[in-house]
Every structure is written in structure tokens, then in C-alpha cells.
Amino acid sequence: MSTSNEATRMTAIVCHAPKDYRVESVRRPTAGRNELVIRIAACGICASDCKCHSGAKMFWGGPSPWVKAPVIPGHEFFGYVEELGEGAADHFGVDLGERVIAEQIVPCGKCRYCKSGQYWMCEVHNIFGFQREVADGGMAEYMRIPPTAIVHKIPDGISLEDAAIIEPLACAIHTVNRGDIQLDDVVVIAGAGPLGLMMTQVAHLKTPKKLVVIDLVEERLALAREYGADITINPKNEDALAIIKSITDQYGCDVYIETTGAPIGVSQGLDMIRKLGRFVEFSVFGSDTTVDWSIIGDRKELDVRGAHLGPYCYPIAIDLLARGLVTSKGIVTHGFSLEEWNEAIKVADSLDSIKVLLKPR
């Protein structure tokens, strides 16, 4: 039988500084008014988590660092409603025991972006797992969901692995939508990591003329073909630019989606895309990227679009998974307990895995 002290504690990963993440016993959260506490079923390790762990400047640099430690990381989570605060059942429309997911951003509801419905660009911009002001992240046994969070229910028929990719899938859907893919487009997705492979599945549903995926790992390219890519290119032994030119009458691709997270992915895309094409940037970079900016304006007049988070896309992601139109099969490759954190982050930050999940016991 658990002691009262044990009942108020839980195991969590706590980020203290770059490369200083510890498995700790911390106070278990409780639900206030219009708040939930969920029991975490799984939490994915994102590429941004790996870059944050390694000390990437965008997370830790500058006068106001993005990460405010100590904090429990993790934004790719889902779980079961364990506790309902006063009014929370009506506030969120959920009951005890239901599977739920909260969007990764906790909008303030007061800034110009929130008030205009563009909540994913909230000026305050609290995201689970990076700042503790609103709530910690999902790399723990339990997690508090604050009142301004956006919560969605997950149908019972969706597997644990599929439910665990709802957050990145929502990001992938938003990114593909930003590309405004047309039926006669040649679309290039650069990068076949977890997000790139989900984007491949979503872009395939748009039925472009040709869907091309570029990556350095043959096993990931094979998955991309399973997911609907018409052409895959490994730039280690193939001339990617020449191949794209050859299938577009030398013009270049219509849509280029950058999800490599490497500077070469940007310069490659600017060379590869046709004049008046649509360049969609999704990646989180660990270092600065330098390009010939005149390509965008003077030479090609490109439509450059960013893609951030997964606004209004969680219900779509859940529906696509429920209907079997998108899958985590082949993408989710590893699972670890919280206590196995050191091995989990090592595997996640390598080419030995695609998507790594933490599964609290």
C-alpha cells in the first residue's frame, strides 16, 4: 500500500540546464478550478527536445532564453483524465478516465493574436515543456492541464502509438496546408524524420502530380515510398537538383517543404524550387542559416511561408488516424520508461530511431 507521502509524489524528468536532465521524485500536481490532472500514457521525444538538451542557442541564448529551467519537458503527450478540478468537466467537456490530449501551446487569450483566432502565434507563447509559468510538460507520470489549454478527446479505437503522434501529425498537417498543394504540383519534402514522414502521408492524400522525398537514410526513404512518395532521392549518391529539373521540364518544383533542420536543406530548396514557387519552412534549427536572399525576391519572387505548431489541426489528425489514413507504423520505433531517460535521449538523438516514446510505468 502506498504511503500518503508516496501518493503526493511522482517520477519526472527535470531539465535544469543543457545536458543536465535528471530523473527525480517531484510533487504530483493537483487540479485547481477549471483544471485537469492527467495520467500520462506516453510522451514523444521531439527533435526540438534533442536540440534543447544539447544546448542549442535558440533555446538557451539571448537575454530572455526560451527555456526557463527547472522545468519538466515534453509537449508530445497524451493521457487519461485522473482528476477534475472544480468546473473542469464542463469547462473542457471531459470525464474521468477519458483519453485526452492538450495542444502544445497554452494561449493567453488576451493578446491580439489570441483575440483574432490566431492563438498559435500567442505573444506570451507558453508551450508545455519549456516554461513553467503555466504548467510543466509531459515527461512525467502526471501532468496538470491549465484552464486556457485546448483539450481534445481521443477515441478508444486509436492505438497508443497512433495517439502518441497526434501532436506532430497536427504540425505536419498545418505545414502541408501551408503549401497549398494543387493537383498538378510537383512537391518536394526535404527530410524524412518523424515530421517529414507524416508530411509525406498527408501530402499523398492531397494527390499532387509528383511527391518527392529527400533524405540521407535509405530506410527512411523506403518508408516514404510506403507512405506514398513517387520518387525518393538520397543526395549522398544522387544529384537531387538534376532529378527535380528532369521531371519538371527544367523549371523546378512547385512546392518545397523544408523539414531537415539543417542549413543545407534551405539552400537546396532555394535552388530547387521554380520561380513563383511556394517554400514552406518548418524546421527548428540548431544554428544560423546563411543564404543568398536575393533568390527569394529578385531572381524568383518566391512565396516563403513559415509553419508553426498545429493550429486547428488536432481534430483532423485524430480523424485521419481513426480512419486509418495516416499511421504511426514504422515511425514509432522505440519505447523507454522515465527511469531509462539517458538511453532514451541518446537513441532519440541518433539515426538508430525515428520516433522515441517515454512510457511511464
Side-chain angles (χ1 to χ4, degrees):
M1 177 178 289
S2 297
T3 68
S4 59
N5 184 58
E6 289 174 334
T8 63
R9 309 290 292 181
M10 68 174 183
T11 300
I13 310 301
V14 181
C15 162
H16 290 274
K19 298 184 180 177
D20 184 6
Y21 286 52
R22 309 172 200 170
V23 180
E24 296 182 1
S25 175
V26 302
R27 184 177 295 278
R28 177 173 159 176
T30 57
R33 179 172 175 78
N34 288 341
E35 293 184 339
L36 307 175
V37 170
I38 64 172
R39 174 171 53 86
I40 298 295
C43 183
I45 300 178
C46 176
S48 62
D49 293 317
C50 294
K51 287 172 179 165
C52 182
H53 176 266
S54 67
K57 183 174 68 174
M58 71 158 293
F59 294 103
W60 298 97
S64 180
W66 181 248
V67 179
K68 296 175 183 175
V71 64
I72 298 172
H75 57 275
E76 294 186 2
F77 58 84
F78 81 97
Y80 298 86
V81 178
E82 182 81 6
E83 179 187 345
L84 290 162
E86 181 186 353
D90 290 335
H91 180 70
F92 288 115
V94 300
D95 293 319
L96 286 172
E98 289 188 313
R99 288 200 305 175
V100 298
I101 185 170
E103 297 196 19
Q104 68 276 70
I105 191 167
V106 185
C108 73
K110 299 177 181 179
C111 71
R112 65 180 292 178
Y113 302 108
C114 288
K115 288 181 175 179
S116 65
Q118 299 166 320
Y119 67 91
W120 69 102
M121 297 306 297
C122 171
E123 188 68 14
V124 179
H125 221 79
N126 283 316
I127 292 183
F128 287 116
F130 292 103
Q131 310 98 13
R132 183 170 263 176
E133 282 90 340
V134 175
D136 282 305
M139 295 186 186
E141 293 182 283
Y142 298 91
M143 179 180 176
R144 180 175 64 87
I145 306 298
T148 58
I150 303 170
V151 172
H152 305 276
K153 291 195 280 191
I154 303 172
D156 291 337
I158 295 179
S159 70
L160 181 146
E161 290 77 14
D162 280 355
I165 70 163
I166 290 171
E167 187 274 342
L169 178 56
C171 294
I173 293 166
H174 179 54
T175 302
V176 170
N177 284 344
R178 291 284 283 160
D180 192 22
I181 294 171
Q182 303 299 308
L183 295 174
D184 59 348
D185 281 341
V186 173
V187 178
V188 173
I189 297 175
L195 268 298
L197 290 170
M198 292 180 216
M199 291 175 195
T200 300
Q201 295 183 66
V202 175
H204 176 64
L205 295 175
K206 299 279 190 176
T207 63
K209 181 179 180 180
K210 290 290 182 186
L211 178 57
V212 183
V213 176
I214 302 175
D215 199 86
L216 298 170
V217 181
E218 289 295 340
E219 292 80 5
R220 296 184 179 192
L221 293 176
L223 271 176
R225 290 191 291 273
E226 288 184 26
Y227 296 150
D230 300 298
I231 299 170
T232 57
I233 302 171
N234 187 332
K236 283 195 298 187
N237 47 45
E238 298 174 281
D239 187 335
L241 179 59
I243 292 172
I244 297 303
K245 291 282 191 178
S246 71
I247 63 172
T248 59
D249 293 327
Q250 302 303 309
Y251 286 105
C253 62
D254 303 282
V255 179
Y256 182 91
I257 297 176
E258 201 293 308
T259 184
T260 67
I264 187 63
V266 178
S267 54
Q268 170 185 261
L270 292 177
D271 290 338
M272 191 172 288
I273 197 167
R274 67 168 173 84
K275 295 175 182 178
L276 303 175
R278 298 180 296 286
F279 188 115
V280 184
E281 181 55 67
F282 174 81
S283 292
V284 174
F285 291 88
S287 59
D288 293 343
T289 298
T290 301
V291 297
D292 179 1
W293 199 245
S294 60
I295 295 173
I296 296 168
D298 183 64
R299 288 168 54 189
K300 292 190 175 181
E301 197 175 321
L302 298 177
D303 191 348
V304 180
R305 304 178 180 186
H308 180 59
L309 307 185
Y312 301 107
C313 292
Y314 279 68
I316 301 170
I318 291 168
D319 177 65
L320 292 179
L321 290 166
R323 290 194 284 153
L325 295 175
V326 176
T327 181
S328 64
K329 185 177 180 181
I331 293 176
V332 174
T333 55
H334 294 75
F336 294 93
S337 68
L338 294 172
E339 291 79 4
E340 296 172 313
W341 162 257
N342 288 332
E343 181 65 16
I345 189 65
K346 179 181 176 182
V347 172
D349 200 18
S350 74
L351 293 179
D352 296 330
S353 68
I354 298 179
K355 174 58 66 180
V356 173
L357 301 183
L358 290 173
K359 302 176 183 179
R361 292 172 178 171

